[in-house]
């Protein structure tokens, strides 16, 4: 439910580290997020699907650039999933507007990406918190792309150019543990990134907090609800793989679906009513 605006008038003091209250949820709650996400995607209409189309097109560009370098493609797509919480910012804004009964239109998306907190750059927890967190995830994604590429190119017995090469010389290679190493290292990198970002970006969009507050709240949500959020991570990965396996066509629907569902994950997991709201710039249209 939307929070009242009574706490939104004053920003957090610089350096404050007030964290929101984290709720405990049931194991089946991630399935309800998917249901609500599908409802938001339907209500968001073409704006929601446009996000999916743009992200699928970006995936297609990755595929085109690395079509003969599967060692790079594997890391690039997994890195793409790392930064997905930032790319879904417009979808969180749509779900937030639907929740509040506000207008959902192109102007909302433009304002979210270009003018949010425009007049409050200097406020702690202001606009640049979203930018900083996005840069951190982008660096993490780039780090995994480079690590994945180095592992496969340096340790594979044969050059890896195609998915068949990857299957033959990495996944099914006899007396080789490269695939297990690749998966293990990917999991070790993905787990803390997921824990740091599962509700961080929606919180940064919704409330005037800084990156440290958002990341700590996200970790607290995972530590409070380890099993439901492990299920949520598995659902995200499984649906993303289905979208990738459909020659990226499925991503047009899967990515906005997961983006909207992630907003509802944030709303169920976090009671942020004690934190000031992140309001649009004064006088914005």
């Amino acid at each position: 439910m939307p929070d009242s605006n009574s706490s939104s008038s004053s920003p957090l003091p610089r350096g404050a580290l007030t964290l929101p209250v984290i709720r405990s949820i049931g194991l089946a709650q991630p399935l309800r997020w998917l249901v609500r996400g599908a409802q938001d995607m339907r209500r968001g209409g073409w704006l929601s699907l446009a996000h999916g189309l743009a992200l699928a097109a970006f995936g297609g560009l990755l595929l085109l650039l690395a079509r003969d370098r599967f060692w790079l493609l594997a890391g690039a797509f997994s890195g793409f999933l790392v930064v997905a919480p930032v790319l879904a910012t417009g979808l969180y804004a749509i779900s937030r507007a639907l929740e509040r009964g506000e207008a959902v239109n192109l102007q909302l998306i433009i304002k979210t990406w270009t003018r949010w907190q425009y007049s409050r750059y200097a406020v702690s927890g202001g606009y640049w918190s979203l930018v900083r967190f996005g840069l951190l995830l982008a660096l993490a994604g780039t780090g995994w792309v480079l690590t994945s590429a180095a592992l496969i190119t340096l340790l594979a017995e044969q050059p890896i150019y195609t998915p068949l090469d990857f299957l033959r010389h990495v996944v099914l290679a006899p007396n080789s543990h490269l695939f297990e190493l690749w998966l293990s290292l990917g999991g070790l990198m993905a787990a803390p990134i997921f824990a740091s970002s599962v509700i961080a970006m929606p919180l940064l969009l919704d409330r005037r907090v800084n990156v440290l507050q958002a990341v700590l709240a996200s970790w607290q949500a995972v530590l409070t609800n380890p099993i439901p959020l492990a299920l949520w991570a598995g659902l995200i990965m499984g649906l993303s793989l289905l979208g990738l396996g459909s020659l990226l066509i499925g991503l047009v629907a899967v990515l906005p679906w997961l983006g909207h569902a992630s907003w509802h994950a944030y709303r169920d997991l976090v009671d942020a009513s004690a934190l000031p709201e992140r309001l649009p710039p004064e006088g914005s249209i």
Side-chain angles (χ1 to χ4, degrees):
M1 295 296 294
D3 299 313
S4 66
N5 292 330
S6 59
S7 62
S8 62
S9 57
S10 59
L12 286 173
R14 185 175 296 274
L17 198 59
T18 303
L19 297 182
V21 176
I22 302 298
R23 303 185 182 101
S24 296
I25 60 170
L27 178 60
Q29 201 65 18
L31 300 177
R32 298 187 180 97
W33 299 337
L34 290 177
V35 172
R36 296 175 194 164
Q39 293 170 345
D40 281 2
M41 186 170 66
R42 176 181 58 81
R43 295 170 66 194
W46 71 269
L47 276 176
S48 291
L49 291 178
H51 281 77
L53 184 61
L55 295 174
F58 180 72
L61 179 62
L62 289 178
L63 184 62
L64 181 65
L65 293 175
R67 62 186 183 278
D68 296 326
R69 303 176 182 86
F70 191 76
W71 52 268
L72 175 60
L73 190 62
F77 272 119
S78 50
F80 171 69
L81 296 178
V82 167
V83 299
V86 177
L87 302 178
T89 299
L91 297 167
Y92 309 145
I94 290 174
S95 285
R96 185 175 189 249
L98 289 171
E99 183 181 89
R100 295 178 165 200
E102 297 173 351
V104 174
N105 49 38
L106 185 59
Q107 189 177 63
L108 170 69
I109 306 302
I110 294 173
K111 182 173 66 177
T112 298
W113 280 106
T114 63
R115 299 186 63 193
W116 212 277
Q117 292 291 314
Y118 184 84
S119 61
R120 301 183 179 91
Y121 274 22
V123 174
S124 178
Y127 174 86
W128 286 106
S129 290
L130 285 84
V131 177
R132 291 189 192 103
F133 188 68
L135 289 174
L136 287 173
L137 286 184
L139 286 173
T142 301
W144 168 243
V145 171
L146 296 175
T147 302
S148 172
L151 274 177
I152 295 174
T153 55
L154 295 177
L155 300 183
E157 296 179 354
Q158 299 291 333
I160 307 298
Y161 298 115
T162 67
L164 186 59
D165 291 338
F166 185 80
L167 180 65
R168 182 183 302 157
H169 301 302
V170 177
V171 179
L172 300 178
N175 303 318
S176 173
H177 300 288
L178 176 56
F179 184 59
E180 290 83 352
L181 176 62
W182 185 76
L183 282 181
S184 299
L185 189 56
L188 285 174
M189 295 184 69
I193 292 172
F194 174 79
S196 299
S197 62
V198 62
I199 55 93
M201 201 65 194
L203 176 58
L204 284 167
L205 179 71
D206 188 43
R207 300 285 160 170
R208 203 176 308 162
V209 297
N210 57 40
V211 172
L212 181 58
Q213 286 172 288
V215 170
L216 289 177
S218 193
W219 271 93
Q220 188 178 359
V222 171
L223 294 175
T224 303
N225 302 280
I227 297 177
L229 288 180
L231 173 61
W232 181 230
L235 289 170
I236 291 174
M237 183 58 63
L239 290 171
S240 298
L241 290 175
L242 284 176
L244 293 172
S246 62
L247 298 178
L248 308 184
I249 296 173
L251 292 180
V252 176
V254 166
L255 292 176
W257 184 18
L258 290 175
H260 289 305
S262 295
W263 171 261
H264 291 286
Y266 156 68
R267 294 297 278 149
D268 279 356
L269 287 164
V270 179
D271 177 3
S273 57
L275 299 173
E277 290 186 272
R278 184 181 299 282
L279 298 176
E282 296 163 355
S284 66
I285 50 176

